[in-house]
């Protein structure tokens, strides 16, 4: 990011989007939010974050970039507007792909180290309070340009899990964040990158600059909503790569934000599978929760290129699940919710592991899975 991007990105925080169409399908009212109602200025926070990304841009280290200034304090952060808590049902499809909402990019920040395979970015989007969502939902993004399969028509919508709480990274209900890995194609014969086959939307997002416009639809999704009827529930969260996005939102709500009517007293247990240490996402945030809430948060990592499983093979997330299988099964029997998010290819290995463990325990996995689904304890979103 260039130094000239500082003023653009900071200005994007408070930009008023021209699309003021009323949210006739929503009960959310956000228009009276004041930046001064929070314990610090959103502008200063944004500028601090952007300046940090500029400083770090040319010196990626073996740790991920810290995405939250608030991590320096163990006290919880005030959020507003509190009426985002009032709705009984999640907002759904407030904007359709053909009538997408025009939002603006606030910041794009690389969040993996130099030795990570590929590039992953944390992208903050300003929706000015007009596109509210709940934790676990997704936005649709329509990249600019024509659809190559339908000349003259726009690109198809791409869905991305939202990586922030309903209050956004600046705690004012006006932004949403995405965690996006740049999809790049390399020709198997030449070994060279072929830009014509690169992921259209992921590259658009990762190449975006502060102030750029972005077309968004949604929000969508009910499967991954965080159940809050029992504040003492157990939540087992399993992710590969950018599948950690919804859990980042969950954990900020559980441990970072001061939400008046929701005080979490249960257990959140995150399993994250990535290639190596440099590929860990939001590791600073998660590590701080471990320090501040050791009784309520557990965090296990599976680093496939750095660790071995018990048979000497690569350590994948299903190997970590097997390692703690007795405890996990007991928690599920006691009503725990279990979530899976990431690449579709993660599920067969996980399902095979769970089935094998169930059989070793003398249980029928098919029967157990059916019961988990019936009890609404089983949440899956893969792509």
């Amino acid at each position: 990011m260039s130094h000239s991007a500082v003023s653009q990105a900071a200005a994007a925080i408070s930009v008023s989007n021209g699309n003021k169409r009323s949210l006739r399908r929503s009960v959310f009212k956000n228009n009276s939010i004041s930046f001064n109602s929070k314990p610090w200025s959103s502008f200063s926070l944004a500028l601090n974050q952007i300046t940090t990304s500029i400083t770090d841009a040319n010196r990626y280290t073996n740790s991920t970039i810290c995405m939250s200034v608030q991590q320096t304090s163990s006290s919880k952060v005030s959020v507003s507007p509190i009426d985002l808590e009032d709705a009984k049902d999640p907002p759904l499809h407030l904007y359709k792909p053909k009538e997408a909402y025009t939002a603006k990019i606030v910041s794009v920040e690389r969040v993996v180290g130099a030795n990570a395979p590929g590039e992953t970015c944390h992208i903050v989007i300003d929706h000015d309070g007009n596109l509210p969502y709940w934790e676990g939902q997704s936005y649709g993004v329509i990249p600019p340009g024509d659809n190559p399969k339908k000349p003259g028509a726009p690109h198809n919508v791409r869905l991305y899990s939202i990586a922030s709480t309903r209050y956004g990274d600046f705690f004012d209900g006006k932004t949403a964040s995405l965690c996006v890995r740049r999809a790049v194609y390399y020709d198997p014969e030449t070994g060279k990158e072929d830009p014509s086959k690169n992921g259209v939307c992921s590259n658009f997002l990762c190449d975006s600059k502060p102030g750029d416009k972005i077309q968004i639809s949604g929000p969508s999704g009910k499967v991954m909503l965080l159940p809050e009827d029992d504040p003492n529930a157990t939540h087992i969260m399993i992710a590969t790569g950018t599948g950690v996005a919804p859990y980042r939102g969950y954990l900020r709500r559980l441990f970072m934000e001061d939400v008046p009517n929701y005080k979490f007293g249960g257990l959140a247990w995150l399993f994250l599978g990535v290639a190596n240490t440099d590929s860990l996402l939001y590791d600073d945030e998660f590590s701080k929760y471990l320090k501040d809430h050791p009784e309520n948060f557990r965090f296990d990592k599976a680093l496939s290129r750095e660790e071995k499983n018990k048979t000497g093979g690569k350590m994948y997330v299903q190997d970590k699940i097997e390692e703690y299988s007795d405890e996990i099964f007991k928690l599920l029997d006691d009503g725990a919710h279990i979530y899976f998010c990431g690449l579709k290819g993660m599920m067969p290995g996980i399902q095979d592991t769970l089935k094998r463990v169930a059989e070793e325990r003398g249980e029928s996995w098919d029967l157990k899975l059916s019961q988990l689904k019936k009890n609404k304890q089983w949440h899956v979103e893969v792509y």
Side-chain angles (χ1 to χ4, degrees):
M1 184 186 296
S2 67
H3 286 268
S4 63
V6 176
S7 59
Q8 294 176 349
I13 302 295
S14 58
V15 68
S16 178
N17 193 290
N19 190 342
K20 293 297 182 182
R21 182 166 62 142
S22 64
L23 299 183
R24 55 186 178 273
R25 294 175 290 264
S26 173
V27 300
F28 294 82
K29 305 289 184 183
N30 302 21
N31 297 328
S32 61
I33 298 170
S34 167
F35 281 165
N36 295 325
S37 66
K38 299 182 298 303
W40 49 70
S41 161
S42 290
F43 181 90
S44 297
L45 177 57
L47 195 59
N48 187 309
Q49 181 186 26
I50 295 157
T51 304
T52 299
S53 72
I54 293 169
T55 303
D56 288 339
N58 297 317
R59 64 169 199 273
Y60 301 128
T61 63
N62 290 334
S63 62
T64 58
I65 297 170
C66 173
M67 283 305 304
S68 178
V69 174
Q70 295 73 34
Q71 292 166 24
T72 59
S73 171
S74 60
S75 60
K76 289 195 172 185
V77 182
S78 296
V79 293
S80 65
I82 297 304
D83 58 10
L84 286 178
E85 303 292 324
D86 292 346
K88 301 302 181 185
D89 297 303
L92 286 169
H93 310 298
L94 302 177
Y95 288 86
K96 303 293 179 63
K98 291 184 178 180
E99 297 178 307
Y101 179 77
T102 302
K104 290 196 175 184
I105 298 292
V106 174
S107 61
V108 177
E109 187 169 2
R110 178 184 170 118
V111 286
V112 291
N115 295 319
E119 180 180 26
T120 301
C121 295
H122 181 82
I123 299 162
V124 181
I125 298 166
D126 176 15
H127 60 75
D128 201 31
N130 293 319
L131 199 50
Y133 56 89
W134 281 8
E135 298 74 24
Q137 290 192 297
S138 299
Y139 271 169
V141 178
I142 301 99
D146 287 350
N147 188 331
K149 296 182 180 180
K150 300 178 181 177
H155 282 287
N156 294 332
V157 64
R158 270 74 162 184
L159 289 176
Y160 291 92
S161 297
I162 299 172
S164 51
T165 73
R166 66 193 70 185
Y167 297 102
D169 278 15
F170 304 107
F171 312 104
D172 61 4
K174 293 189 175 185
T175 68
S177 300
L178 305 180
C179 182
V180 180
R181 177 168 177 169
R182 186 189 294 272
V184 179
Y185 175 83
Y186 291 93
D187 188 292
E189 294 184 2
T190 65
K192 294 182 178 179
E193 182 182 343
D194 183 352
S196 67
K197 297 181 180 179
N198 287 348
V200 173
C201 199
S202 65
N203 281 271
F204 158 68
L205 287 168
C206 291
D207 289 335
S208 295
K209 301 292 186 293
D212 286 354
K213 293 182 179 179
I214 176 174
Q215 298 295 306
I216 297 177
S217 65
S220 63
K222 287 186 175 182
V223 173
M224 295 291 286
L225 293 178
L226 182 65
E228 297 186 354
D229 53 336
D230 179 6
N232 297 316
T234 295
H235 304 281
I236 302 168
M237 300 164 281
I238 298 163
T240 56
T242 58
V244 78
Y247 309 144
R248 193 242 184 186
Y250 294 175
L251 294 171
R252 286 172 76 92
R253 183 166 176 84
L254 300 181
F255 299 125
M256 182 183 287
E257 297 179 341
D258 182 14
V259 182
N261 60 345
Y262 181 59
K263 305 297 181 185
F264 182 63
L267 171 66
W269 191 354
L270 173 62
F271 291 87
L272 175 58
V274 293
N276 55 21
T277 303
D278 267 23
S279 303
L280 288 168
L281 299 168
Y282 310 114
D283 196 48
D284 288 338
E285 286 189 28
F286 301 155
S287 297
K288 187 170 192 309
Y289 302 147
L290 270 179
K291 178 182 176 183
D292 293 344
H293 306 277
E295 301 300 317
N296 303 98
F297 182 54
R298 294 174 66 174
F299 182 24
D300 284 279
K301 310 166 189 178
L303 308 177
S304 62
R305 299 189 185 182
E306 295 180 2
E307 300 175 322
K308 301 294 183 182
N309 61 23
K310 65 181 183 181
T311 63
K314 292 183 176 181
M315 176 69 79
Y316 292 112
V317 71
Q318 60 262 34
D319 299 310
K320 281 292 180 183
I321 294 170
E322 185 172 14
E323 186 178 329
Y324 294 99
S325 58
D326 284 342
E327 195 171 355
I328 289 172
F329 270 61
K330 183 178 184 304
L331 290 170
L332 291 174
D333 288 341
D334 290 341
H337 290 269
I338 189 165
Y339 310 79
F340 304 88
C341 190
L343 293 174
K344 191 180 297 183
M346 73 184 270
M347 288 308 295
I350 290 173
Q351 290 267 36
D352 289 345
T353 297
L354 293 172
K355 183 176 182 179
R356 183 173 66 253
V357 169
E359 290 173 349
E360 291 171 354
R361 294 166 56 90
E363 299 181 54
S364 164
W365 173 244
D366 290 340
L367 186 61
K368 193 174 192 69
L369 177 58
S370 176
Q371 192 63 43
L372 290 171
K373 290 180 178 178
K374 182 179 178 180
N375 295 343
K376 298 182 179 179
Q377 295 171 250
W378 184 263
H379 311 263
V380 179
E381 184 172 85
V382 292
Y383 40 85

